[in-house]
C-alpha cells in the first residue's frame, strides 16, 4: 500500500517501520525499496524491532538505518524523529 501511495506522488517526511512486517518483505527491504525510487534516496527512516540476534543487528547496522528496540519509549522516538527531520 505504501509503494502504491508513493507511485501516486505522495512523499512522506519520514518512514517508521517495524522490522517484521509479515510476508516476504521486512522493514529493511521496504526502506530500500522506497529509497530506490527517484527523488527518495535520502528519505529518513527508523526501524523498530524486538529482535536482538547478532545477525539481524549487523544487517541493520550495515544498512545505516537507526533502530529503536521494543518497547519503544515515546520520548526516544520523538527525539530520533526530530534529529532525523532537522538533519534532512
Amino acid at each position: 500500500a505504501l509503494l502504491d501511495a508513493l507511485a501516486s506522488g505522495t512523499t512522506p517526511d519520514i518512514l517508521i517501520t517495524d522490522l517484521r512486517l509479515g510476508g516476504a518483505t521486512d522493514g529493511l527491504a521496504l526502506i530500500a525499496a522506497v529509497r530506490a525510487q527517484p527523488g527518495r534516496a535520502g528519505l529518513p527512516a527508523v526501524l523498530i524491532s524486538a529482535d536482538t540476534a547478532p545477525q539481524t543487528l549487523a544487517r541493520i547496522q550495515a544498512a545505516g538505518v537507526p533502530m529503536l528496540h521494543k518497547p519503544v519509549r515515546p520520548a526516544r522516538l520523538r527525539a530520533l524523529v526530530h534529529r532525523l527531520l532537522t538533519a534532512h
Side-chain angles (χ1 to χ4, degrees), residues 6-64:
L6 294 172
S8 72
T10 302
T11 300
D13 293 325
I14 191 167
L15 179 58
I16 301 172
T17 182
D18 197 284
L19 177 64
R20 306 284 178 222
L21 299 177
T25 301
D26 68 10
L28 281 176
L30 176 66
I31 292 167
V34 171
R35 287 179 172 173
Q37 295 185 352
R40 295 190 175 102
L43 180 70
V46 176
L47 195 62
I48 297 173
S49 181
D51 194 334
T52 58
Q55 309 91 307
T56 302
L57 297 177
R59 232 179 107 220
I60 294 166
Q61 185 175 17

